[in-house]
Amino acid sequence: KLRGDIILVLDDAYAEYAEYVNTGDPRRKYFAVIHPVKIFGGYTGSGDARSTDPLLTILSADTGRPSVTGTLTVDDNGEPRATSTVPNDNADWLMMIGPYVFGGSEGAAAYTPDNMVLDGLTFEKTPYGALVCNGNTDTLAAGAVNQCGLRVNNAVFRNNFMKGHAVLHVQFDENTGPTKLVVTQSQFLNNSRGYANGGGSAIDFYGFRPEGGSKPPAELLIDNSIFEGNTVGNGSVVGNSGMVDLKLE
């Protein structure tokens, strides 16, 4: 579990360092962020020396188990939508920010683009969602504060096959505080989502925020970033199912 103010990550590929969550199944291993933190990749281990190449610091969903590839069944009707090039036994997620999606309140906090930063990292080979920011409040204790916001800079999301969430998936609801995602100088390459039900394959905002309510729309800012070779069964590359203000620069 990742907790702290700043974490500097050495050039390397990381998979088996993730932590089991709720079960011993390797597919339930991921890096759990339970407190706002700034994570910077590319450090060489020699003082403050750092490379700006995000491909040198890789977070991989490859569990190291034998590969089992094939056609995945991904929609509610049991219809196969796409053929996976990622082993079905890979970890479902790579990094989850905030409370565990399916219950529990550990990790609930006010995450913002100022205090939650990911910089100089590559996310690859996940079959469910490379980066999930959970802003839901359904499972939290009364009065708990939870909002999902983050800044992703100089990152690469590549070769992910999603049968559930998008590569970068942000959740929120009508009780969540300000929700803002800032993506700058990043690349989304050759990712696919078998069945999105109208959502996105690369970035997806998922949640409910009633029009005219007390909470402002979620915000998405994409600046100087590349989307190439991304596919989706039924949806778009960038999608949302709630009120979102989108700004492209």
Side-chain angles (χ1 to χ4, degrees):
K1 297 178 182 178
L2 306 180
R3 181 194 295 269
D5 295 323
I6 297 178
I7 296 177
L8 308 181
V9 188
L10 293 176
D11 293 346
D12 206 341
Y14 300 88
E16 290 300 295
Y17 299 96
E19 181 174 344
Y20 290 114
V21 177
N22 289 355
T23 173
D25 188 340
R27 290 172 298 179
R28 287 293 185 267
K29 293 183 73 172
Y30 60 79
F31 297 95
V33 177
I34 60 174
H35 187 276
V37 62
K38 299 177 182 180
I39 304 175
F40 298 91
Y43 283 86
T44 65
S46 177
D48 294 329
R50 184 191 183 210
S51 170
T52 58
D53 185 354
L55 295 178
L56 296 179
T57 307
I58 299 174
L59 304 184
S60 174
D62 191 346
T63 63
R65 296 165 54 191
S67 299
V68 181
T69 58
T71 301
L72 295 180
T73 299
V74 293
D75 76 355
D76 295 336
N77 299 317
E79 179 182 354
R81 292 281 181 167
T83 300
S84 171
T85 57
V86 175
N88 294 345
D89 58 358
N90 279 17
D92 285 343
W93 301 285
L94 269 173
M95 181 178 291
M96 189 173 296
I97 301 170
Y100 180 58
V101 165
F102 300 116
S105 58
E106 183 181 28
Y111 298 90
T112 73
D114 294 325
N115 64 23
M116 183 67 235
V117 177
L118 302 174
D119 190 304
L121 303 171
T122 291
F123 297 79
E124 67 176 18
K125 299 181 180 179
T126 175
Y128 209 86
L131 175 58
V132 177
C133 192
N134 178 25
N136 284 344
T137 61
D138 294 344
T139 62
L140 303 183
V145 175
N146 190 47
Q147 71 183 54
C148 183
L150 71 153
R151 181 181 302 273
V152 178
N153 181 63
N154 189 32
V156 175
F157 297 83
R158 66 180 184 181
N159 303 327
N160 297 283
F161 176 86
M162 283 70 61
K163 51 186 177 179
H165 298 123
V167 173
L168 203 171
H169 183 83
V170 176
Q171 295 179 277
F172 61 94
D173 61 31
E174 67 271 24
N175 298 314
T176 304
T179 300
K180 185 175 183 178
L181 170 64
V182 178
V183 178
T184 57
Q185 297 179 337
S186 294
Q187 301 177 62
F188 295 79
L189 308 174
N190 302 317
N191 303 291
S192 62
R193 189 175 181 185
Y195 185 66
N197 196 24
S201 60
I203 299 176
D204 194 30
F205 271 78
Y206 181 83
F208 173 73
R209 187 157 288 174
E211 186 173 0
S214 61
K215 302 294 184 180
E219 296 181 69
L220 170 59
L221 170 62
I222 302 175
D223 180 30
N224 194 26
S225 295
I226 296 173
F227 295 79
E228 184 175 285
N230 302 287
T231 61
V232 62
N234 177 27
S236 57
V237 174
V238 178
N240 79 88
S241 61
M243 292 180 60
V244 177
D245 285 342
L246 172 62
K247 185 177 182 180
L248 304 176
E249 294 185 347

